[in-house]
């Protein structure tokens, strides 16, 4: 039963994403850019943290 709910949620998400892309491609591009900036910022923070650990937490 949980698998069907998961499938339905994925289908709803895909339909929503396609709807946003078709109705407002510029806004969809902004969302993608925001997402990539967030991932980039998170990766930078992890790198800074690892550097801090390697340097002995100074």
């Amino acid at each position: 039963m949980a698998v069907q709910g998961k499938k339905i949620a994925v289908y709803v998400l895909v339909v929503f994403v396609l709807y946003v892309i078709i109705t407002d491609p510029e806004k969809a591009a902004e969302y993608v850019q925001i997402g990539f900036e967030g991932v980039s910022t998170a990766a930078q923070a992890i790198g800074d943290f690892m550097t801090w650990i390697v340097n002995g937490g100074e």
Side-chain angles (χ1 to χ4, degrees):
M1 208 57 165
V3 174
Q4 283 184 331
K6 199 178 217 181
K7 282 184 182 180
I8 290 171
V10 169
Y11 289 138
V12 168
L13 181 64
V14 168
V15 169
F16 175 73
V17 168
L18 290 175
Y19 172 77
V20 170
I21 290 171
I22 291 169
T23 59
D24 196 358
E26 291 179 10
K27 195 68 165 175
E30 288 179 25
Y31 291 148
V32 170
Q33 183 177 4
I34 289 168
F36 280 127
E37 287 175 2
V39 169
S40 175
T41 302
Q44 179 67 41
I46 291 171
D48 292 345
F49 177 69
M50 292 299 176
T51 302
W52 179 75
I53 288 175
V54 169
N55 290 333
E58 296 176 1

